[in-house]
Amino acid sequence: VPYCTQDLHMGNNTFTYTSGSSSLQFNHNGANNLLEVFNFVYKEFPRPDAILVSGCSAGALGAVAAERLYHHYNVLHPTSTPVPIGVFSDSELGLVTIPFALSVPPVWGADCVFTDLFDGYENISSIDFWKSTLTIEKFWSTLLRKRPNMTWLIYSSTTDVVQNAYYNAMGGSALGFESKAVYLLQSILQYQNLRVFTVRQGDHCTLAGNIAYQNSAFAQWMNSAVNSIQTRNSSILPQNVVCAECTSSTVTGCNGVVGSGIVEDGCGVCGGNNSLCSPVVPTWASQPNCADKAWTQDEEFVYELPACSASPIPLKYMRTAFSNGTPRNITVCVKTT
């Protein structure tokens, strides 16, 4: 699924950005594009043997929307044999600061996506998400507990330069990212439906690059995880792989002391208590109206794709940042053999 609307695959809003006298209308359609792909999957695979959704970088957070696939196959349309579904989040832990979480995702229209993901679980609504200091630890733990029968896989380098750069841009620090990443992973290792593979020095994105080929341990780990999902056999899930420097007792805290356990708070303050930043919450973000949003509708539209031919067909459903549903001629079809 191409990443072209700059919203972590969660956007569902048209927003006009301004800078001085200049303005730009931007269509954040990441969530809508995912929904179209899911509808295609529902139609073409009414009862798949197994599903593994993987995403790299921003797509790693988008991949968690596979929870919606579980809802479709195993809640709305259950059978005696549930469809095993796994998620591989590759190189994006979702570490953000409070000012970013409270001001940027609402502009994307991601409130409806979070409402759908949490679905009232533990009384978490989109309003609670934007107005509180809901931590990324709680984000992951909520999903892990909501879908205990899904398999969740996470790969990350604790010094990932790309994740680190974005965290820095949000107001965090390089040293703060590493200790915070370790703290997050340590806090969710308890869940039996989760497996993690962490390294300290590693590139960004395993499957898009060559990490999977260079690191035989990762290749074996991933192979075991896929086999476990395919065979519905959780007993062969691989063990968690945690590098020696990736524990709370061995990582350098944000204060520069190894094993201090001190991390940055949501304001990017080392050892802080989230009190030194006052993000501005857009007034409309506290009143999400998801009733008319496509993301909250399940199977409201199913489209027909023609058999493959030499001629490309207009594709309307993949909306870009500057073209909100305008047809583009690309070859998309269903193989008949």
Side-chain angles (χ1 to χ4, degrees):
V1 180
Y3 179 50
C4 55
T5 66
Q6 304 303 308
D7 50 32
L8 297 179
H9 299 277
M10 296 179 180
N12 191 18
N13 186 49
T14 297
F15 190 82
T16 299
Y17 293 89
T18 59
S19 177
S21 60
S22 301
S23 63
L24 174 68
Q25 181 173 290
F26 203 91
N27 298 302
H28 292 292
N29 271 317
N32 298 316
N33 288 337
L34 274 184
L35 181 62
E36 295 284 5
V37 172
F38 288 169
N39 280 325
F40 171 79
V41 172
Y42 300 154
K43 175 175 171 53
E44 299 301 323
F45 304 95
R47 205 67 195 171
D49 294 331
I51 297 176
L52 174 63
V53 178
S54 68
C56 153
S57 196
L61 289 182
V64 304
E67 186 273 338
R68 190 179 182 91
L69 296 176
Y70 185 95
H71 180 74
H72 171 85
Y73 286 113
N74 298 327
V75 178
L76 292 180
H77 306 287
T79 65
S80 57
T81 305
V83 175
I85 296 177
V87 173
F88 176 45
S89 290
D90 185 356
S91 301
E92 179 53 73
L93 297 174
L95 296 178
V96 299
T97 60
I98 292 175
F100 176 88
L102 287 174
S103 58
V104 178
V107 170
W108 298 338
D111 50 339
C112 298
V113 178
F114 280 100
T115 297
D116 182 71
L117 281 176
F118 294 128
D119 194 24
Y121 195 74
E122 291 195 341
N123 297 316
I124 296 174
S125 70
S126 57
I127 296 177
D128 296 324
F129 186 86
W130 304 129
K131 285 193 170 182
S132 72
T133 56
L134 177 62
T135 62
I136 194 63
E137 290 85 4
K138 193 162 189 178
F139 169 84
W140 282 109
S141 64
T142 298
L143 289 174
L144 290 165
R145 284 181 283 119
K146 180 183 178 183
R147 297 300 183 203
N149 294 323
M150 287 180 62
T151 301
W152 302 81
L153 310 169
I154 295 177
Y155 166 89
S156 184
S157 162
T158 60
T159 59
D160 186 319
V161 294
V162 177
Q163 292 188 70
N164 208 326
Y166 278 101
Y167 181 68
N168 292 345
M170 297 176 201
S173 71
L175 196 58
F177 172 82
E178 182 174 6
S179 56
K180 203 162 186 175
V182 168
Y183 175 81
L184 164 62
L185 292 168
Q186 290 282 303
S187 72
I188 58 178
L189 284 178
Q190 61 183 293
Y191 296 99
Q192 296 303 305
N193 56 336
L194 168 73
R195 293 295 186 272
V196 303
F197 192 104
T198 62
V199 297
R200 186 168 189 273
Q201 301 291 340
D203 293 330
H204 187 68
C205 293
T206 61
L207 302 183
N210 59 4
I211 300 174
Y213 303 98
Q214 292 180 342
N215 190 332
S216 60
F218 172 79
Q220 293 172 6
W221 180 87
M222 192 67 192
N223 185 61
S224 296
V226 171
N227 286 338
S228 172
I229 296 169
Q230 287 180 319
T231 60
R232 299 181 173 89
N233 184 359
S234 60
S235 67
I236 62 174
L237 268 175
Q239 296 298 309
N240 292 312
V241 176
V242 180
C243 65
E245 305 91 346
C246 304
T247 67
S248 55
S249 61
T250 56
V251 70
T252 300
C254 61
N255 60 347
V257 178
V258 175
S260 68
I262 299 179
V263 298
E264 289 184 351
D265 67 358
C267 301
V269 177
C270 184
N273 60 1
N274 299 326
S275 63
L276 296 182
C277 54
S278 302
V280 177
V281 183
T283 55
W284 52 266
S286 64
Q287 300 174 333
N289 178 18
C290 300
D292 60 346
K293 301 289 188 178
W295 181 256
T296 63
Q297 304 166 9
D298 189 50
E299 304 171 283
E300 287 295 321
F301 46 89
V302 176
Y303 48 85
E304 296 285 342
L305 289 180
C308 290
S309 64
S311 302
I313 62 170
L315 177 62
K316 296 183 180 180
Y317 65 86
M318 195 61 73
R319 287 168 279 192
T320 69
F322 303 107
S323 178
N324 202 0
T326 302
R328 296 178 293 132
N329 289 326
I330 62 176
T331 303
V332 175
C333 54
V334 178
K335 292 185 178 179
T336 56
T337 58

